[in-house]
Amino acid sequence: MQEFFQQVVSGVAIGGIFASLALALVLIYNAMGLVNFAQGEMAMLATFVALTLINRGVSYWLALPLTLLIAFAGGVAIQRVVIRPVERAPLLALVIITLGLATLLNGLAGFIFGYVPRSFPSPFSADTVDVVGVFISYRDLGVIAVSGLVLLAIYFLLQRTTLGLTMRAAAHHPEASRLLGVRVSWMLALGWGLASAVGAVSGVMVAPILLLEPNMMQSIIIYAFAAAVLGGIESPLGAVVGGLIVGVTINLAGAYVPGVGGDLQLAVGLAIIIAVLVLRPNGLFGRAAVRRV
Amino acid sequence: MLQRVRSAPPRYWLVVIAGVFFLGLPTTVSSFLASEWGQALILAIAIMGLNILVGYSGQLSLGHGAFMALGAYTSAILAHRYKVDYLLTIPISALFTGLVGFLFGFPALRLSPLYLALATFALAVVTPSLIKRPEELTGGVQGIVVTQPDPPGPARDVFAAITGSPMTSDQWIYYVSLFCALVLFWVAWNLIRHRPGRALRAIRDGEVAAAASGVNVAAFKTLAFGISAFYAGAAGSLYGLSTGFVSPDAFPVDLSIQLLVGAVIGGLASIPGPLLGAIVAYFLPIGANQWVPSQDWIPDQVASTVKNAGPAVSYGVLLVLIMIFAPNGIVGLVRQGYELLNRRLRGAGDREAGQMPPDPQTV
Amino acid sequence: MSPFGPRMAMAVGLLLAIAGCGGGNNSGSTDPGITSDQILLGNTIAQSGPAAAYGTIANAEQAYFNYVNSQGGVNGRKIKFKILDDAYSPAKTGPLTKQLVEDDKVFLMFSGLGTQAQVSVRSYLAGQKVPQLFVATGATTWGKDYASNQWSLSWQPPYQGEAHIYAKDVLDNHPNAKIGVLYQNDDYGQDYLKGLTDGLGDKASLIVDKESYDVTAADTATQLAKLKAKGADTLFLFSTPGFTIKSLVIVTKLHWEPTIYLNSVSNPQVYMGVAAKSGAALKNITSVGYLKDPTDPQWANDDGMKLYKTVIANCSTCKADDGFNLYGVAVAYTMVTVLKQAGSNLTRKNVMDIASGQLNDSTNPFVLPGVKIQTTPDDHFPIMQEQVITWAGTGWKLQGGLIDERGTIK
């Protein structure tokens, strides 16, 4: 029984990691109706920037906001330079550009920083909490807590501020928004900047656990997609809940479903994606989209 | 007859020249280069399949590497375990993969383009670990060795007569790949020219309108998946033959991305596009990694940066640049250039009667 | 007539030119790759993609060859080393190897990386009679299957041999252990597991559970929790460095303190440092080594280590602390030894014969003192000695003496 709870708790721990990246994916989708295949790589690069600052002597608590600013600026820059020229292009073009970006950023990180895994400092200690024989570390809890805070911040921004409303309007009804005087293009840039910053938070929280190296996010991006899709790709709350569910599911499947074992955890992630998309495409918290003819 | 030859549009001459080029290639270059070009042709077949799905029917798949893996392994298992003659396994694998693709098309109908991209991307990432699992069947991590056949007597004689040197296995496999490519390109050309092509394009450009016009949207979309998988399966089968080995790590997600890159760079919704795209997608990483550092006129810093940054960076940069500046790929650029030239030379546009306007990208 | 005809002809002509440029100059009676002043060696390795961390090995080998060239080369010839990136995919290894053999006309293939990748070209190279020397993998097949693959050879101790040593250590020091094994589900992990099971012999029942993971796994928490729940008090980690580090952290997180056996690929000190900083307690860890560790202070004044530091300083992308680089320099030393031993008879056949059956070198300054690099007509594993090391808080401590596994793998 204890093993079962440990599996669940470990699943929650890894699920928090999925959730943090899924939040960034959801933000981009809210801004643009697009899944950004380069989100993980952008987050990873931002984390490397943070490490570089810290190695140069900048204190962690100063490096963190600096990194977020740099990530924000980077996201905006990418939108202006790479995405805007193809804004009105069909979906395929956008998907390919984000794929190209992902390849580019990954290669760049490998080229600049090398491939040896590195440790990354965490504001949370590596100690574990012992709850009747089941263990979770403070770092894992920290990831979940920070994701929760980011979730609140995003919710507040998107649902309760005019800026958020403007962003959502620009994403869903660009033409109408333009008529109302919204600078749609800059709203998109803002969306990218925010998503990039959220990704940076994810990277910085996750790197102490996953170890910082260029391929760090590649191991979890599919799970993050599964989390976002499961939760409803528009819903930040869905991203967090989805992440936790995906984490627990792959752990339990790996531990208890014969034939899955530890080898096919990723296949479980794929199965979740397909199952959700076929059975309930809007996920747990998404709204059904009406198809206009 | 001569009249028809004289009045044939330039496109047909291009095809003839390309045909002569590819037929004659192994007689003039090394066996190794022939095998390289053979690989590019194989990639072109897979990209042609992807093009039918993405360019013509408007469904976005990022996971065609998985279909290639299926075709490759089907052939390898049939040849290795059941001692089926390898060349015979090619159509069998293609049909089998096509069937699987067709079945795949049904759930795919329900997915929006973005979600389809996501699901197929996940499939591509999972493919190596899925292959590793059924170890007795697939050989697991050890992979399956594919014995490359010797060229058959008649082919060997003809080749020796022309070039004076014996035909290698690689060269024979090149010709097998070329033959398959010619056949499959011809089939695709005919498909596109006639009703299926028009139906697919109608679906791509406006599903609801197409349905309203009486096109059986679901049937054509699943059919497109099936055909596209058929091509990928054939390509996968040839891939195994050409490399002599199939293993899980030979089908990473990079392969699916390479196919997409090739499709886009060449130019979607065109017949020559996949061939051109395959050539670029195949030779670019090699060029970046090897050719650039070996050129003395390129300054050392630039060369070593290109070499160290690796193909990933050049691929990524190329992809981004192409999508921004030339979204219709090489074929699109050539068409634009041709139109420009025409206008300059003749004053007014000179469109051939009955030719459809070039496909814009509307996926 | 279309204007493209002449351009096609030019393209063909260009290709002919490229094809023609491929070969090196060849004096008739020697093998390809040998000229009066140069020996051309070829290599394929992962320098991009998921296994890119290993790519530095080839750069370290290049650095050593440069050093040897600066000292006059091998019997008057300089070594030229051509490295190609196959991104760990066997699909790329094939064409690149063919290119090196047929186009660049290398003398032999040296230190190719990756079992799947190198196995995929094994029969091709044998067919071309090109030596596939000192492949950079410890998979046991390289020495074991020599009889059917006489043009291929490994260098480092085979994984199964290493696992035999762990088995012996367990039986000697923890005869009532409850063993749990975490292994990567590929040839690497499976090879180690087989070696352990064989080494335990009829005590193989000491293994209470074994769990595998795929390289696409997010982490190994599921497997480790299971192993702990099954009551294992001895844990074997047959994993690649990234996963080993993360597993060490998870073990500590689970408040579990088993005796840990770590495999040699993951034991470079630099990785242990990362594990410690990430929260691993690193208690009770045993491994084996056969190379000197660059971060071990006991070698600070060692001549071999000083030579290594000199050599590696000329590789701009190599970190001197990285154990992979020391590996590269060590195996390059053996390559040079073989070439020197061939003397003026620099043919592929002679070099292959020497490497696979006539090696007897005790001078390698980069391996642990006493390790002999040796092959005989009956034994084609060049290195079969390793020494047990245990983690002592800040570094590895050598224990006992060298253990010789020669002859244990048939």
Side-chain angles (χ1 to χ4, degrees):
Chain A
M1 211 52 204
Q2 197 172 63
E3 189 210 333
F4 175 79
F5 284 126
Q6 182 62 62
Q7 295 288 6
V8 170
V9 166
S10 301
V12 166
I14 194 83
I17 293 179
F18 302 155
S20 68
L21 187 58
L23 277 171
L25 290 172
V26 163
L27 255 182
I28 284 274
Y29 189 84
N30 268 302
M32 249 188 109
L34 169 73
V35 166
N36 180 8
F37 284 87
Q39 200 69 58
E41 308 307 305
M42 286 166 65
M44 173 270 297
L45 206 52
T47 316
F48 265 111
V49 166
L51 187 66
T52 315
L53 288 174
I54 293 175
N55 283 344
R56 293 267 169 97
V58 179
S59 97
Y60 180 86
W61 292 107
L62 185 54
L64 203 53
L66 261 177
T67 304
L68 293 186
L69 277 170
I70 296 175
F72 182 86
V76 170
I78 289 179
Q79 198 277 342
R80 295 271 98 193
V81 171
V82 168
I83 305 292
R84 193 166 60 110
V86 291
E87 233 164 50
R88 315 224 188 155
L91 178 69
L92 175 65
L94 291 166
V95 167
I96 292 177
I97 282 216
T98 60
L99 276 174
L101 209 51
T103 318
L104 172 60
L105 292 176
N106 185 283
L108 212 58
F111 171 53
I112 302 177
F113 299 104
Y115 289 93
V116 179
R118 297 172 210 230
S119 64
F120 192 89
S122 170
F124 304 101
S125 91
D127 289 339
T128 47
V129 174
D130 179 348
V131 179
V132 283
V134 170
F135 302 100
I136 190 167
S137 80
Y138 286 112
R139 285 186 185 170
D140 295 325
L141 291 170
V143 171
I144 300 173
V146 169
S147 297
L149 282 173
V150 172
L151 168 63
L152 281 172
I154 293 176
Y155 172 76
F156 187 76
L157 173 73
L158 284 183
Q159 302 289 348
R160 296 261 184 250
T161 65
T162 319
L163 184 62
L165 181 62
T166 320
M167 272 177 65
R168 283 187 294 136
H172 289 262
H173 304 281
E175 293 307 331
S177 310
R178 271 196 195 94
L179 288 173
L180 290 170
V182 172
R183 314 254 324 256
V184 168
S185 206
W186 278 106
M187 284 298 115
L188 293 177
L190 185 64
W192 270 80
L194 281 175
S196 177
V198 167
V201 170
S202 167
V204 162
M205 284 294 113
V206 155
I209 302 172
L210 290 184
L211 303 180
L212 181 58
E213 42 126 358
N215 295 323
M216 169 175 87
M217 285 305 191
Q218 293 209 343
S219 57
I220 67 170
I221 188 91
I222 298 285
Y223 299 112
F225 281 153
V229 162
L230 175 62
I233 198 140
E234 286 184 341
S235 161
L237 176 64
V240 173
V241 172
L244 297 176
I245 296 180
V246 170
V248 172
T249 310
I250 63 172
N251 265 29
L252 290 181
Y256 297 110
V257 176
V260 170
D263 303 357
L264 289 183
Q265 282 190 325
L266 191 59
V268 173
L270 172 66
I272 292 177
I273 292 179
I274 294 186
V276 170
L277 291 183
V278 171
L279 296 172
R280 198 192 152 105
N282 297 307
L284 295 171
F285 296 97
R287 282 168 311 151
V290 174
R291 206 171 123 194
R292 297 225 163 72
V293 175
Chain B
M1 168 74 193
L2 215 53
Q3 188 68 358
R4 275 179 72 186
V5 169
R6 279 224 198 90
S7 63
R11 275 181 315 161
Y12 290 114
W13 284 112
L14 277 176
V15 174
V16 170
I17 291 173
V20 169
F21 170 72
F22 280 107
L23 268 170
L25 187 73
T27 61
T28 51
V29 302
S30 69
S31 169
F32 163 70
L33 262 180
S35 81
E36 289 283 84
W37 279 90
Q39 295 251 329
L41 283 173
I42 293 170
L43 212 61
I45 295 175
I47 293 178
M48 184 76 242
L50 187 62
N51 187 22
I52 291 175
L53 188 66
V54 178
Y56 287 107
S57 86
Q59 299 178 83
L60 190 45
S61 162
L62 297 181
H64 260 51
F67 289 124
M68 278 185 76
L70 186 57
Y73 266 92
T74 309
S75 273
I77 292 172
L78 285 173
H80 188 79
R81 271 176 142 224
Y82 300 103
K83 309 290 181 227
V84 179
D85 177 71
Y86 199 91
L87 293 182
L88 195 56
T89 67
I90 298 176
I92 300 177
S93 302
L95 278 166
F96 178 65
T97 312
L99 184 64
V100 172
F102 181 72
L103 294 172
F104 208 81
F106 284 106
L109 286 175
R110 306 194 46 170
L111 300 180
S112 76
L114 181 65
Y115 286 162
L116 185 58
L118 208 53
T120 49
F121 183 73
L123 178 64
V125 175
V126 171
T127 295
S129 44
L130 284 176
I131 296 175
K132 282 182 204 165
R133 193 27 109 77
E135 256 188 73
E136 289 101 52
L137 190 62
T138 64
V141 222
Q142 314 294 336
I144 303 179
V145 172
V146 173
T147 17
Q148 297 181 311
D150 287 323
R156 229 193 313 216
D157 297 333
V158 171
F159 194 79
I162 300 181
T163 61
S165 44
M167 189 192 230
T168 63
S169 269
D170 279 338
Q171 287 161 330
W172 166 240
I173 293 171
Y174 170 88
Y175 279 113
V176 171
S177 313
L178 178 60
F179 176 72
C180 292
L182 283 171
V183 168
L184 290 172
F185 266 70
W186 182 80
V187 167
W189 183 57
N190 273 300
L191 262 174
I192 297 307
R193 262 196 327 161
H194 296 118
R195 197 163 161 265
R198 287 198 290 275
L200 287 177
R201 267 181 294 207
I203 293 173
R204 179 196 68 196
D205 294 342
E207 230 178 86
V208 180
S213 316
V215 174
N216 188 340
V217 171
F220 273 106
K221 276 175 97 168
T222 42
L223 205 61
F225 238 105
I227 295 174
S228 146
F230 176 90
Y231 274 69
S237 189
L238 288 165
Y239 194 65
L241 184 64
S242 171
T243 48
F245 188 69
V246 291
S247 72
D249 284 342
F251 301 99
V253 63
D254 295 345
L255 178 61
S256 294
I257 295 191
Q258 192 181 27
L259 294 177
L260 194 61
V261 169
V264 171
I265 288 182
L268 284 170
S270 71
I271 297 294
L275 179 61
L276 296 168
I279 295 176
V280 172
Y282 188 76
F283 287 110
L284 179 71
I286 299 176
N289 206 21
Q290 296 183 48
W291 184 80
V292 169
S294 70
Q295 298 307 302
D296 294 322
W297 56 269
I298 298 181
D300 259 350
Q301 246 106 340
V302 176
S304 74
T305 310
V306 171
K307 180 179 203 306
N308 286 331
V313 177
S314 36
Y315 243 31
V317 170
L318 184 70
L319 218 49
V320 172
L321 289 176
I322 292 250
M323 289 320 292
I324 295 178
F325 296 112
N328 281 324
I330 297 178
V331 169
L333 278 176
V334 167
R335 281 212 184 106
Q336 277 178 345
Y338 194 59
E339 297 282 310
L340 217 66
L341 210 65
N342 255 335
R343 250 177 275 146
R344 291 273 167 85
L345 291 179
R346 292 171 209 217
D350 188 45
R351 209 175 313 147
E352 285 142 356
Q355 187 191 8
M356 276 186 74
D359 292 285
Q361 242 192 45
T362 50
V363 174
Chain C
M1 179 73 182
S2 145
F4 291 112
R7 296 213 195 123
M8 282 300 182
M10 263 171 41
V12 175
L14 189 63
L15 275 167
L16 278 171
I18 295 175
C21 285
N25 19 338
N26 229 354
S27 54
S29 59
T30 57
D31 276 350
I34 305 285
T35 67
S36 54
D37 57 359
Q38 186 182 282
I39 305 174
L40 181 60
L41 304 180
N43 164 281
T44 58
I45 194 169
Q47 297 201 310
S48 61
Y54 300 120
T56 186
I57 294 176
N59 298 336
E61 289 160 353
Q62 175 80 75
Y64 186 74
F65 291 144
N66 291 344
Y67 166 77
V68 167
N69 289 343
S70 71
Q71 307 280 310
V74 174
N75 295 332
R77 290 186 173 89
K78 301 252 167 48
I79 300 177
K80 186 149 185 263
F81 190 36
K82 185 154 182 190
I83 306 167
L84 293 181
D85 176 14
D86 69 355
Y88 214 60
S89 166
K92 293 206 174 101
T93 316
L96 290 176
T97 305
K98 269 195 198 151
Q99 178 185 336
L100 288 167
V101 168
E102 296 179 26
D103 226 34
D104 296 289
K105 304 216 192 311
V106 295
F107 179 55
L108 54 83
M109 294 296 292
F110 168 62
S111 191
L113 180 96
T115 306
Q116 269 184 55
Q118 292 304 304
V119 165
S120 77
V121 293
R122 186 158 60 172
S123 26
Y124 165 76
L125 288 170
Q128 298 278 323
K129 302 205 184 359
V130 174
Q132 186 183 25
L133 281 188
F134 308 134
V135 289
T137 127
T140 313
T141 170
W142 296 104
K144 181 154 171 283
D145 299 327
Y146 178 80
S148 37
N149 298 287
Q150 303 197 358
W151 287 91
S152 307
L153 204 67
S154 59
W155 183 79
Q156 67 201 73
Y159 298 142
Q160 282 185 29
E162 182 182 329
H164 288 171
I165 297 179
Y166 297 140
K168 235 184 264 179
D169 194 84
V170 166
L171 292 174
D172 286 342
N173 298 321
H174 312 278
N176 296 316
K178 297 205 196 69
I179 299 177
V181 179
L182 176 72
Y183 66 104
Q184 191 161 293
N185 73 340
D186 60 6
D187 45 280
Y188 173 86
Q190 287 166 357
D191 219 11
Y192 270 120
L193 180 60
K194 180 170 193 316
L196 180 65
T197 324
D198 290 346
L200 289 173
D202 45 9
K203 294 281 194 187
S205 52
L206 286 176
I207 300 179
V208 298
D209 191 24
K210 40 188 198 280
E211 299 290 331
S212 65
Y213 72 92
D214 188 88
V215 290
T216 54
D219 73 356
T220 48
T222 318
Q223 292 88 339
L224 289 168
K226 260 177 110 170
L227 289 169
K228 180 184 173 206
K230 288 265 162 77
D233 59 19
T234 308
L235 176 66
F236 279 85
L237 291 176
F238 293 147
S239 43
T240 44
F243 284 103
T244 305
I245 297 173
K246 285 187 262 200
S247 298
L248 288 171
V249 173
I250 293 175
V251 164
T252 307
K253 193 161 83 164
L254 292 175
H255 281 209
W256 187 21
E257 289 188 2
T259 309
I260 298 180
Y261 284 87
L262 203 58
N263 72 315
S264 61
V265 175
S266 299
N267 73 14
Q269 212 144 304
V270 79
Y271 294 133
M272 306 300 288
V274 174
K277 277 204 230 152
S278 304
L282 298 184
K283 290 209 187 109
N284 268 327
I285 306 189
T286 306
S287 183
V288 291
Y290 62 100
L291 293 169
K292 295 176 184 165
D293 192 317
T295 54
D296 192 338
Q298 75 171 297
W299 307 118
N301 284 319
D302 176 80
D303 287 335
M305 192 51 71
K306 287 196 205 154
L307 175 60
Y308 164 73
K309 297 261 164 84
T310 316
V311 165
I312 212 70
N314 281 324
C315 166
S316 55
T317 53
C318 303
K319 298 209 160 50
D321 283 354
D322 190 346
F324 285 157
N325 289 326
L326 191 111
Y327 168 89
V329 170
V331 64
Y333 181 94
T334 302
M335 184 71 249
V336 170
T337 308
V338 168
L339 290 173
K340 284 197 179 139
Q341 205 171 321
S344 53
N345 188 0
L346 265 180
T347 61
R348 286 167 170 166
K349 180 92 185 35
N350 190 27
V351 166
M352 193 63 220
D353 286 342
I354 293 174
S356 61
Q358 300 162 29
L359 261 184
N360 193 350
D361 177 39
S362 313
T363 66
N364 193 314
F366 311 106
V367 295
L368 289 176
V371 170
K372 240 195 308 203
I373 308 193
Q374 194 181 35
T375 55
T376 67
D378 299 312
D379 185 339
H380 311 285
F381 291 104
I383 303 182
M384 280 298 256
Q385 296 157 291
E386 295 182 277
Q387 191 160 352
V388 172
I389 49 181
T390 54
W391 184 254
T394 51
W396 293 103
K397 281 257 169 310
L398 291 166
Q399 302 291 334
L402 282 173
I403 301 179
D404 198 333
E405 280 295 307
R406 214 162 268 290
T408 61
I409 299 185
K410 286 283 158 257

